[in-house]
Amino acid sequence: MGAESKVPQHIAIILDGNGRWAKQRRMPRGYGHIIGCQNLEHMCNVIKDKGVKYLTVYAFSTENWKRSRDEVEGLLKLFRQYLKRCMRSAKKNKMKVRIIGDPSAFPQDIQDSIRLLEDCSKDYDQMFYQIAMNYGSRDEILRGVTGMIEDARAGKLPPEGFENGKLKEELFERYLDTAGIPDPDLMIRTSGEQRLSNFLLWQLAYTEFCFVDVPWPDFHEEELDKAIAQYNSRDRRFGGVKEE
Ligand code: FPP
């Protein structure tokens, strides 16, 4: 990276291509997820060392339940192990972890691990790490609107959240899973697909996108540096205004 290079404050990643990576090696898809998970742990440290403050990753979508029973079971087993290890890395890196999505669909022990991890890391502020699990952006928006309707019925919506009768973005954002987290500056999707797949539809409104061909298990520091260099080569504009 050049001397003028700026590190994005918030990177979001769609971790795609574990299955294809395994298939290329004549291995089962689950093996791709295991190596993908190892790479996530490694890259989380790399990303922190680059000075990135916020990292959000898409680990399991609301649609992923439709995969084969074997694959879903394998992923749940991985989550169990990963959430426990993540407690240690959260402590080591002083990293606040938040799970975005609807955890209520997971088995109780996974829900307990999520609560424990969020609770034990809630006061850390060196890095903010969001893991999207049973996450879908439309689901997040509908859950948020439902919460807002409940508060409206209970007379709990603050009048300053409206301007000329219209809901302000700031008030709506408080009802999203990402409340309080700045929008991503850079979104990376690995493995060649060029779509959002229901990931952070609201939050990515002004984000720069970088689609890379390598599958997630092969996405290492060198690819990250290339993505950051691409981000730096762009003129960021927010509604026509260039970022200073
Ligand atoms: C996409 O690859 C990946 C997933 C659906 C799961 C992502 C999971 C991990 C990286 C490992 C576990 C993560 C955590 C947080 C423990 P794919 O299966 O869609 O690959 P394909 O498109 O090649 O089939």
Side-chain angles (χ1 to χ4, degrees), residues 20-52:
R20 276 165 284 174
W21 180 91
K23 195 172 171 207
Q24 278 169 7
R25 287 160 180 77
R26 298 176 197 281
M27 295 296 280
R29 296 176 58 78
Y31 178 66
H33 294 316
I34 291 172
I35 303 301
C37 186
Q38 285 174 8
N39 194 41
L40 180 60
E41 292 192 70
H42 169 66
M43 287 307 290
C44 189
N45 288 322
V46 170
I47 287 168
K48 180 184 183 277
D49 290 347
K50 297 230 175 266
V52 174

Side-chain angles (χ1 to χ4, degrees), residues 10-11 24 27 48 65 77 87 91 112 123 169-170 175 188 190 200 220:
H10 184 173
I11 297 184
Q24 278 169 7
M27 295 296 280
K48 180 184 183 277
W65 296 106
K77 191 173 159 195
M87 294 249 278
K91 206 169 168 182
D112 293 345
D123 296 325
E169 288 187 5
E170 297 84 75
Y175 288 86
I188 300 168
T190 57
L200 302 176
H220 303 310

Side-chain angles (χ1 to χ4, degrees), residues 15-20 29 33 36-37 40 59 64 67 79 82:
L15 313 166
D16 196 13
N18 294 342
R20 276 165 284 174
R29 296 176 58 78
H33 294 316
C37 186
L40 180 60
N64 283 156
R67 295 193 171 194
F79 293 155
Y82 178 77

Side-chain angles (χ1 to χ4, degrees), residues 73-157:
E73 284 298 321
L75 280 167
L76 294 181
K77 191 173 159 195
L78 261 185
F79 293 155
R80 277 190 182 93
Q81 299 164 347
Y82 178 77
L83 290 168
K84 294 208 169 82
R85 284 200 303 272
C86 202
M87 294 249 278
R88 284 197 289 274
S89 51
K91 206 169 168 182
K92 186 174 135 255
N93 289 331
K94 303 267 175 285
M95 177 172 83
K96 180 172 176 171
V97 186
R98 188 189 297 184
I99 306 303
I100 60 168
D102 178 6
S104 69
F106 287 111
Q108 191 58 49
D109 67 305
I110 293 189
Q111 292 186 44
D112 293 345
S113 291
I114 288 173
R115 204 161 310 134
L116 200 64
L117 175 59
E118 289 184 331
D119 198 53
C120 82
S121 68
K122 68 180 188 320
D123 296 325
Y124 295 141
D125 62 0
Q126 289 305 293
M127 188 179 178
F128 299 87
Y129 179 35
Q130 293 66 238
I131 311 170
M133 283 172 67
N134 192 31
Y135 176 88
S137 195
R138 290 184 177 182
D139 179 67
E140 175 193 30
I141 290 169
L142 292 177
R143 283 186 288 105
V145 171
T146 307
M148 231 171 66
I149 292 171
E150 280 167 13
D151 279 358
R153 286 198 178 122
K156 284 198 216 150
L157 290 187

